[in-house]
C-alpha cells in the first residue's frame, strides 16, 4: 500500500539553468502494438523489451509521482510505448488522482485500444487525452504504423473518448518528409470540424533505432505555410510556462499547435522530467542514461530529496546544442515516454 498522501503545494525546485520542475511524463509500458518507422521500426526493438518483471508496480509509480509533486510537478502525462497495453491502467489513474497538488493528468495513446477503455479511463479520473494520427488515408496510416494499425479503429477510439466526456482531444501528427506531407490539410480540417486540436510535430532524432536523417524533417515553417495557404492563423499566448507547442487560433474557430523541437528548440523553458518504465529519472528526452529511483522507494522523504537534488544539478539542453553534441547512444523514446 502507498503511504498516506499529504497536501503539498511547494514552490518548484529549479535546475542549474533556472528551469523549474513542473511536468512529468511516465512511461507505463515499453512495448507497443505498432511499429511506427520514426519511433520503433519493425525488427529493431523486440530484443529491447524489458518484460513485465522489471516494470514498476502501480504503487511504486504513485509513490514516485507524489515525490515529484512535492518538488513542484503539477502535470503528469502517462505514455509509453503504448500505455493502453498496460493492464488495469485505470487503477494507476485512480492512485495518481489522489495526489494533492497534482492539477492535470493526461495520457498519450495511439488510440488502437481506446474504444474499449475510454469510459473506464474517464471514470478513473483521467483529465485529458491525446491520440496520435499521422494520416487520414487508410493505406498510408497503416504504413506509418509499421503495417499494424487500423485508422477506422483509432477513429472509433476517438469517438468513444468523446462519448466518455473527453474534449477537446489533441491529435498528434509527426510529419516526415516524403511520407505524409499530403495529410497536413486533410488532418487539420477533419479534426477541426469535430472540435479537436491538431498538434503537428517535427520528426525528431530521438533514440537511435529510427535512422533519423535531417532531410526527413519537415520544418514547422513549412507546415504552417501549408495551413496558411487556406486559413488565417493568429499566434496565441502560451497557456502555461514551458509549453512546447506554439499555438495559433484559427479564424472561424479552433486552434492548432506546432512543435518545432528541431528547427526552433525550446530547451530554455524545458520543465519536463521523464520516468522510465523501470523506475529511472531522465532529465532530457535525449539523455543516454537515467538515475535509478528504485533504491529510494522505501523512504518517501529520501525519494523526494534525491529527486530534488538530481533536478538541481540538471544542465541538459540537447536540442540547442544538437550539432555539437557527441554521437552517444540515446535512450529510445518509447522507453522514457514521448
Ligand atoms: N504510443 C503512444 C502514441 O504513439 O501516441 C504514446 C507514445 S509515443 C512515443 C508519443 C508521441 O511521440 C507520439 O505522438 C509519437 O508520434 C511521437 N513520436 C514518436 N517518435 C517520434 C519522433 N521520432 N519524432 C517526433 N515525435 C515522435
Ligand atoms: Fe508505438 Fe507510439 Fe512509438 Fe508508434 S509512436 S511505435 S504507437 S510508441
Ligand atoms: Fe528539454 Fe532535452 Fe528537449 Fe531540450 S532537448 S527541450 S532539455 S527534453
Amino acid at each position: 500500500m502507498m503511504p498516506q498522501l499529504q497536501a503539498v503545494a511547494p514552490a518548484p525546485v529549479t535546475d542549474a539553468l533556472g528551469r523549474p520542475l513542473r511536468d512529468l511524463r511516465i512511461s507505463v509500458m515499453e512495448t507497443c502494438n505498432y511499429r511506427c518507422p520514426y519511433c520503433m521500426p519493425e525488427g529493431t526493438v523486440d530484443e529491447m523489451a524489458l518484460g513485465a518483471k522489471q516494470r514498476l508496480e502501480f504503487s511504486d509509480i504513485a509513490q514516485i509521482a507524489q515525490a515529484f509533486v512535492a518538488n513542484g510537478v503539477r502535470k503528469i502525462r502517462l505514455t509509453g510505448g503504448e500505455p493502453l497495453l498496460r493492464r488495469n491502467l485505470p487503477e494507476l489513474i485512480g492512485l495518481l488522482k489522489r495526489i494533492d497538488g497534482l492539477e492535470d493528468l493526461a495520457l498519450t495513446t495511439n488510440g488502437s485500444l481506446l474504444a474499449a477503455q475510454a469510459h473506464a479511463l474517464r471514470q478513473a479520473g483521467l483529465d485529458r487525452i491525446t491520440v496520435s494520427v499521422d494520416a487520414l488515408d487508410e493505406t498510408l496510416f497503416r504504413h506509418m504504423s509499421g503495417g499494424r494499425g487500423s485508422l477506422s479503429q483509432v477513429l472509433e477510439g476517438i469517438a468513444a473518448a468523446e462519448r466518455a466526456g473527453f474534449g477537446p482531444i489533441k491529435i498528434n501528427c509527426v510529419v516526415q518528409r516524403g511520407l505524409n506531407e499530403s495529410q497536413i490539410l486533410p488532418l487539420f480540417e477533419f479534426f477541426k470540424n469535430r472540435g479537436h486540436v491538431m498538434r503537428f510535430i517535427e520528426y525528431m532524432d530521438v533514440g537511435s533505432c529510427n535512422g533519423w536523417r535531417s532531410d526527413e524533417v519537415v520544418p514547422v515553417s513549412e507546415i504552417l505555410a501549408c495551413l496558411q495557404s487556406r486559413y488565417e492563423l493568429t499566434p496565441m499566448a502560451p497557456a502555461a510556462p514551458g509549453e512546447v507547442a506554439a499555438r495559433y487560433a484559427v479564424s472561424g474557430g479552433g486552434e492548432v499547435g506546432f512543435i518545432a523541437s528541431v528547427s526552433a528548440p525550446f530547451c530554455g523553458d524545458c520543465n519536463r522530467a521523464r520516468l522510465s518504465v523501470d523506475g529511472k529519472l531522465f532529465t532530457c528526452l535525449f539523455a543516454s542514461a537515467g538515475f535509478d529511483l528504485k533504491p529510494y522507494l522505501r523512504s518517501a522523504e529520501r525519494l523526494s530529496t534525491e529527486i530534488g537534488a538530481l533536478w538541481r544539478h540538471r544542465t541538459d539542453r540537447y536540442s540547442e546544442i544538437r550539432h555539437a553534441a557527441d554521437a552517444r547512444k540515446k535512450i529510445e523514446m518509447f522507453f522514457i515516454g514521448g
Side-chain angles (χ1 to χ4, degrees):
M1 273 302 282
M2 212 172 57
Q4 179 80 46
L5 303 173
Q6 311 148 2
V8 277
V13 61
T14 50
D15 72 8
L17 302 177
R19 299 168 296 185
L21 172 58
R22 279 297 186 196
D23 193 330
L24 175 66
R25 302 222 154 183
I26 302 177
S27 175
V28 293
M29 179 55 95
E30 76 292 351
T31 58
C32 188
N33 52 346
Y34 283 12
R35 286 293 180 275
C36 307
Y38 54 69
C39 175
M40 196 189 279
E42 189 75 67
T44 58
V45 295
D46 280 350
E47 64 281 7
M48 291 182 200
L50 269 182
K53 269 196 225 140
Q54 291 179 60
R55 283 177 209 136
L56 288 178
E57 303 281 336
F58 286 164
S59 56
D60 294 339
I61 296 178
Q63 197 190 338
I64 292 174
Q66 190 180 353
F68 272 98
V69 171
N71 277 288
V73 161
R74 294 289 168 268
K75 289 166 65 176
I76 290 182
R77 181 172 291 275
L78 302 177
T79 173
E82 176 42 46
L84 298 188
L85 286 174
R86 183 80 190 245
R87 269 203 204 151
N88 304 324
L89 194 64
E91 206 181 289
L92 174 64
I93 289 167
L95 289 178
L96 296 175
K97 276 304 272 190
R98 290 172 51 207
I99 299 176
D100 274 332
L102 183 66
E103 292 166 5
D104 186 40
L105 183 57
L107 171 123
T108 304
T109 172
N110 65 25
S112 58
L113 305 168
L114 189 55
Q117 298 188 34
H119 181 70
L121 294 169
R122 187 67 177 178
Q123 290 295 106
L126 187 67
D127 296 310
R128 294 186 302 121
I129 214 157
T130 298
V131 183
S132 301
V133 185
D134 294 324
L136 266 192
D137 173 278
E138 179 78 66
T139 310
L140 184 53
F141 178 92
R142 194 163 181 81
H143 174 71
M144 291 197 72
S145 68
R148 298 192 179 201
S150 147
L151 176 66
S152 52
Q153 210 173 40
V154 174
L155 296 180
E156 275 168 34
I158 293 171
E162 287 168 16
R163 288 194 299 276
F166 291 104
I169 295 169
K170 282 194 192 128
I171 309 292
N172 277 358
C173 168
V174 176
V175 186
Q176 196 174 343
R177 175 84 63 208
L179 268 181
N180 61 339
E181 298 109 307
S182 65
Q183 301 298 296
I184 295 170
L185 268 171
L187 279 167
F188 172 73
E189 288 176 351
F190 182 86
F191 286 110
K192 179 177 74 66
N193 293 342
R194 283 158 183 77
H196 302 313
V197 175
M198 281 305 303
R199 287 274 190 263
F200 291 101
I201 306 173
E202 287 179 350
Y203 174 33
M204 288 186 282
D205 49 336
V206 279
S208 308
C209 71
N210 58 9
W212 182 87
R213 292 195 341 227
S214 59
D215 61 358
E216 289 177 340
V217 178
V218 180
V220 155
S221 55
E222 204 176 312
I223 305 171
L224 188 59
C226 170
L227 297 181
Q228 282 172 325
S229 68
R230 285 242 190 118
Y231 294 90
E232 198 183 311
L233 303 179
T234 314
M236 294 167 74
E243 185 173 62
V244 297
R247 299 185 307 137
Y248 287 73
V250 185
S251 62
E255 71 166 78
V256 56
F258 303 92
I259 302 182
S261 31
V262 179
S263 66
F266 34 76
C267 301
D269 285 332
C270 181
N271 57 18
R272 185 170 293 176
R274 292 179 160 84
L275 178 67
S276 68
V277 72
D278 61 344
K280 295 190 180 113
L281 161 62
F282 287 80
T283 53
C284 177
L285 184 53
F286 297 90
S288 49
F291 305 94
D292 195 1
L293 298 177
K294 288 191 299 299
Y296 309 112
L297 274 169
R298 263 169 274 132
S299 157
E301 204 183 322
R302 181 78 199 279
L303 184 60
S304 176
T305 308
E306 285 298 325
I307 289 170
L310 288 166
W311 190 263
R312 274 187 204 93
H313 282 100
R314 174 182 189 248
T315 56
D316 306 272
R317 52 187 200 96
Y318 174 87
S319 288
E320 288 181 349
I321 55 165
R322 173 173 272 117
H323 299 296
D326 54 23
R328 65 198 164 157
K329 193 170 164 63
K330 292 167 285 182
I331 190 78
E332 300 297 336
M333 189 174 192
F334 49 83
F335 198 71
I336 56 170

